[in-house]
Amino acid sequence: MFKIQGLDSINNEILNALQINAEMPIKQIAHKIHKSESATHERIKALKKGGFIKGSVLLLDYTKLHKIELAYVLVRLNDHTSLAASNFSQKINTFDEVLECAQIAGYFDFHLKVATTCSKAFYAFFETKLQAISIVGETYTNYVLAEHKRETALKLS
């Protein structure tokens, strides 16, 4: 369980509920936290204003979509300056295939989650986009065979 400084247990319950279902009606959340709908609505507005809620997204079940293949790519840059890392991040953010990009510590510099329609499409992405970035040095790719757990919600206490 994670704690967010400055939030009480009621705000945490609201955030837990909305992380599981961002479309949950305010009436249902209010019932769950034992507060009025107006008080619940005001808390949600305050959480948004405070930056605790960035937005709402719809999560797709990849198993229901045909021809979605995932790969995780580790990238080591030839240049390890903060400017090079920033330039790499900016470039990566323009690629639709990249779902996630994290700068990491260790031998590699970045961890990418990449979605394509097939291995041929992944190869095209890899050759024409990723390898075309001049500061990309070594890469290491893991192709996803099956996804057994995918969570986006942090359990707040």
Side-chain angles (χ1 to χ4, degrees):
M1 294 273 227
F2 297 92
K3 293 184 184 280
I4 299 177
Q5 192 167 351
L7 293 185
D8 63 14
S9 62
I10 294 168
N11 283 335
N12 286 340
E13 284 185 61
I14 291 170
L15 291 173
N16 282 330
L18 289 173
Q19 285 184 97
I20 293 167
N21 179 4
E23 295 179 338
M24 185 180 289
I26 289 177
K27 183 177 183 174
Q28 190 175 347
I29 298 170
H31 178 73
K32 186 178 179 105
I33 64 170
H34 309 290
K35 297 289 178 191
S36 70
E37 288 181 48
S38 60
T40 303
H41 181 67
E42 288 303 314
R43 281 182 176 260
I44 292 171
K45 278 178 32 181
L47 288 166
K48 287 179 179 178
K49 186 176 180 182
F52 293 100
I53 299 173
K54 289 174 60 174
S56 303
V57 297
L58 177 76
L59 299 176
L60 298 176
D61 182 349
Y62 295 148
T63 63
K64 303 287 186 203
L65 304 172
H66 295 290
K67 299 189 178 196
I68 298 293
E69 296 184 9
L70 298 174
Y72 290 96
V73 182
L74 294 167
V75 179
R76 181 174 167 83
L77 303 180
N78 290 329
D79 182 349
H80 299 283
T81 64
S82 58
L83 178 61
S86 177
N87 289 340
F88 178 81
S89 300
Q90 288 175 355
K91 186 68 175 170
I92 283 297
N93 283 326
T94 68
F95 300 156
D96 292 337
E97 297 89 347
V98 178
L99 301 178
E100 298 175 12
C101 174
Q103 190 169 0
I104 58 175
Y107 182 78
F108 288 96
D109 301 304
F110 287 89
H111 184 265
L112 310 178
K113 182 177 182 178
V114 178
T116 57
T117 56
C118 61
S119 58
K120 186 176 180 179
F122 176 80
Y123 184 72
F125 159 78
F126 188 80
E127 288 291 313
T128 63
K129 293 182 177 179
L130 187 60
Q131 289 291 348
I133 301 172
S134 62
I135 57 172
V136 169
E138 188 177 347
T139 62
Y140 185 85
T141 301
N142 291 298
Y143 223 66
V144 176
L145 300 176
E147 201 173 50
H148 298 285
K149 180 178 180 179
R150 179 171 62 144
E151 294 275 333
T152 61
L154 295 174
K155 306 291 187 246
L156 303 176
S157 61

